[in-house]
């Protein structure tokens, strides 16, 4: 199985500050079609997961442009500029290049400083 | 608007069975590949099963730990998928989510607790 390693596992930020989460995969996520199927999924407390970003950097509809995704092959980063209260929760990276065995990182909990 | 709604969870004893349902709307279900995921109490997320569309002969795949015990199925006339879970174990305790391809849309989840 592809192992997804996220760091840090916990992140304390003040409202208005920026936050950055790293995700590394145990193998390259570049698929045979040339695309890289790396997603970022967000779960606010008590809610179900919601995808924010797909194919490394494409924002889902309605996702603010404060969110951005970068990376390639095995190294990926989610950046949140100007954190707002609604951004607090757990962020997971998730690979789909080895579908159907989607695998997730352990999650990064974004908390208020 | 895409909607996904799971049901059927509950408390069961080890060795017993449970069937989960997932009703959907807002997209072309008949051509969609559909998935079940689960989230363990410690918040770890795991893919459980996948079912492809009719054009792919409704092919199915399972994570290793549920092979031979769980069965995923679908009813295109009802835009729904199901997860038949047999011989449940305590380690199957989790919130079960139904989701579309690419983890794009998730339901609210249904809690399955396996305990004596």
């Amino acid at each position: 199985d592809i192992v997804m390693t996220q760091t840090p596992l916990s992140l304390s930020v003040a409202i208005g500050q920026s936050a950055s989460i790293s995700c590394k995969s145990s193998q390259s996520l570049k698929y045979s079609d040339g695309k890289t199927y790396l997603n970022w999924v967000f779960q606010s407390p008590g809610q179900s997961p919601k995808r924010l970003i797909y194919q490394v950097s494409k924002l889902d509809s309605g996702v603010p442009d404060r969110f951005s995704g970068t990376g390639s092959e095995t190294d990926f980063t989610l950046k949140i500029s100007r954190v707002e209260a609604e951004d607090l929760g757990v962020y997971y990276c998730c690979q789909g290049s080895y579908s159907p065995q989607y695998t997730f990182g352990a999650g990064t909990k974004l908390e208020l400083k | 608007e895409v909607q996904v709604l799971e049901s059927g969870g509950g408390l069961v004893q080890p060795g017993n069975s449970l069937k989960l349902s997932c009703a959907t709307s807002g997209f072309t279900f008949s051509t969609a590949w559909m998935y079940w995921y689960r989230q363990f109490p410690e918040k770890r997320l795991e893919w459980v099963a996948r079912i492809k569309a009719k054009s792919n002969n409704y092919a199915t795949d399972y994570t290793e730990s549920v092979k031979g015990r769980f069965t995923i199925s679908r009813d295109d006339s009802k835009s729904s998928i199901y997860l038949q879970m047999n011989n449940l174990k305590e380690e199957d305790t989790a919130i079960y989510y139904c989701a579309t391809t690419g983890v794009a849309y998730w339901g609210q989840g249904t809690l399955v607790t396996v305990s004596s």
Side-chain angles (χ1 to χ4, degrees):
Chain A
D1 289 2
I2 305 302
V3 177
M4 305 298 288
T5 303
Q6 281 182 243
T7 55
L9 297 184
S10 180
L11 191 54
S12 294
V13 298
I15 299 300
Q17 282 189 328
S18 65
S20 183
I21 300 169
S22 171
C23 175
K24 297 183 187 296
S25 59
S26 59
Q27 295 184 42
S28 172
L29 299 186
K30 190 170 185 177
Y31 191 58
S32 55
D33 62 4
K35 298 177 181 177
T36 300
Y37 294 94
L38 186 282
N39 309 285
W40 288 97
V41 172
F42 171 65
Q43 188 172 34
S44 58
Q47 301 299 310
S48 58
K50 172 190 172 185
R51 193 181 71 180
L52 300 177
I53 290 174
Y54 63 100
Q55 291 180 33
V56 181
S57 61
K58 298 179 179 181
L59 267 60
D60 274 287
S61 176
V63 175
D65 59 8
R66 300 182 289 102
F67 289 86
S68 62
T70 59
S72 63
E73 302 286 352
T74 60
D75 290 349
F76 306 92
T77 301
L78 172 70
K79 184 173 181 181
I80 312 168
S81 59
R82 307 182 307 281
V83 168
E84 297 185 4
E86 65 186 25
D87 301 335
L88 304 181
V90 181
Y91 292 83
Y92 298 90
C93 59
C94 166
Q95 69 79 19
S97 294
Y98 295 84
S99 175
Q101 289 188 313
Y102 283 77
T103 50
F104 298 80
T108 296
K109 188 173 185 179
L110 186 64
E111 301 174 302
L112 194 58
K113 183 183 288 185
Chain B
E1 180 191 5
V2 173
Q3 294 194 331
V4 178
L5 184 64
E6 304 92 337
S7 61
L11 172 63
V12 294
Q13 292 185 333
N16 282 3
S17 300
L18 204 58
K19 186 173 184 177
L20 307 183
S21 299
C22 169
T24 73
S25 63
F27 63 100
T28 306
F29 179 85
S30 61
T31 60
W33 295 8
M34 295 295 297
Y35 297 73
W36 284 101
Y37 295 88
R38 59 186 176 183
Q39 186 168 37
F40 297 104
E42 71 272 22
K43 303 303 183 185
R44 181 171 62 93
L45 284 162
E46 179 183 69
W47 164 73
V48 176
R50 177 186 72 182
I51 187 163
K52 295 184 178 180
K54 182 179 181 180
S55 59
N56 306 106
N57 298 315
Y58 300 124
T60 59
D61 295 281
Y62 301 91
T63 195
E64 197 63 37
S65 62
V66 308
K67 281 182 181 177
R69 299 190 299 124
F70 290 12
T71 302
I72 187 173
S73 60
R74 63 191 293 160
D75 183 339
D76 289 349
S77 69
K78 296 182 179 179
S79 297
S80 296
I81 66 168
Y82 308 93
L83 188 66
Q84 176 67 46
M85 305 185 294
N86 297 332
N87 189 21
L88 281 160
K89 304 177 181 181
E90 291 190 349
E91 52 264 39
D92 295 317
T93 293
I95 297 173
Y96 284 73
Y97 293 101
C98 170
T100 62
T101 294
V103 294
Y105 297 97
W106 299 63
Q108 88 293 342
T110 187
L111 177 62
V112 173
T113 303
V114 185
S115 175
S116 53

